[in-house]
């Protein structure tokens, strides 16, 4: 496949052409797809990280505020549920929640179901900040796709859903000289 006509050279096409020349046996049907997903993920991450300082938030703070807002009223979750959904350690979550509490965006409160448990809840300022941040985040991601037609974006989303990407265990490391077991 050669570079598609457009505003400039496509880095994935260039990479694919180079591997096709240098080591064609490494190319698989998934190579181009994985490179394009990686490139897109990087652009989306850069867009998010570029706007968060303007909002006075870190990535972890944004993730927590968004998760709580997404939970729906009363915008609260148990700390372990929140940590699990965001892939944070309990200590990491606690540090970020402490910072957000100090800023008046969240508060800890007793669980209505279990007096021994704690809930993390958005304050009214937290709801406002979360909604503003999520809207800015959506706008930043929309800008990444600005040159793509809505039809192309919808087709890509359907195709990725069809691929059905599911987490898999990490591959085992290659065994080399010093790491080889002796039999």
């Amino acid at each position: 496949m050669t570079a598609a006509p457009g505003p400039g050279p496509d880095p994935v096409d260039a990479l694919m052409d180079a591997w096709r020349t240098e080591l064609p046996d490494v190319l698989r049907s998934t190579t181009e797809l994985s490179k394009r997903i990686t490139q897109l993920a990087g652009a989306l991450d850069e867009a998010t990280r570029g706007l968060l300082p303007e909002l006075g938030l870190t990535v972890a703070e944004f993730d927590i505020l968004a998760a709580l807002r997404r939970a729906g009223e009363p915008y609260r979750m148990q700390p372990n549920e929140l940590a699990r959904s965001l892939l944070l350690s309990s200590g990491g979550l606690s540090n970020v929640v402490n910072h957000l509490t100090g800023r008046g965006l969240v508060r800890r409160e007793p669980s209505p179901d279990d007096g021994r448990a704690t809930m993390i809840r958005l304050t009214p300022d937290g709801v406002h900040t979360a909604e503003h941040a999520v809207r800015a985040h959506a706008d930043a991601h929309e800008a990444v796709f600005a040159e793509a037609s809505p039809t192309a974006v919808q087709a890509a989303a359907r195709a990725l859903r069809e691929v059905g990407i599911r987490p898999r265990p990490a591959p085992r490391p290659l065994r080399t000289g010093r790491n080889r077991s002796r039999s």
Side-chain angles (χ1 to χ4, degrees):
M1 173 185 271
T2 57
D10 181 305
V12 175
D13 286 334
L15 179 124
M16 296 298 291
D17 287 344
W19 280 121
R20 217 173 266 109
T21 300
E22 294 299 319
L23 203 55
D25 63 308
V26 302
L27 296 178
R28 306 286 194 274
S29 60
T30 57
T31 303
E32 182 179 1
L33 177 62
S34 64
K35 296 301 178 193
R36 291 196 181 282
I37 290 170
T38 300
Q39 184 182 40
L40 179 57
L44 293 169
D45 185 59
E46 185 178 316
T48 297
R49 290 178 185 278
L51 77 91
L52 291 178
E54 296 171 22
L55 301 172
L57 297 171
T58 66
V59 172
E61 291 168 341
F62 170 76
D63 287 345
I64 288 171
L65 293 175
L68 290 168
R69 178 59 185 87
R70 184 174 57 242
E73 285 194 66
Y75 312 122
R76 68 178 177 213
M77 295 174 77
Q78 292 180 343
N80 61 350
E81 178 186 17
L82 188 56
R84 202 172 31 254
S85 74
L86 299 175
L87 303 176
L88 287 173
S89 69
S90 59
L93 176 74
S94 184
N95 288 337
V96 179
V97 167
N98 287 343
H99 190 252
L100 291 170
T101 300
R103 292 178 56 194
L105 300 176
V106 302
R107 69 175 172 251
R108 288 180 172 90
E109 59 184 31
S111 169
D113 302 325
D114 180 354
R116 299 168 295 164
T118 301
M119 303 291 283
I120 309 299
R121 182 180 189 156
L122 286 176
T123 64
D125 283 346
V127 172
H128 173 76
T129 300
E131 290 175 358
H132 178 70
V134 169
R135 285 187 174 93
H137 179 261
D139 290 345
H141 283 196
E142 184 79 14
V144 170
F145 294 103
E147 294 184 29
S149 73
T151 303
V153 171
Q154 291 168 358
R158 277 192 307 274
L160 288 172
R161 186 180 303 111
E162 186 177 316
V163 170
I165 298 170
R166 290 180 182 56
R168 300 205 189 288
R172 292 177 43 175
L174 294 174
R175 309 242 338 138
T176 59
R178 294 182 319 179
N179 294 337
R180 269 193 214 145
S181 60
R182 299 195 173 154
S183 323

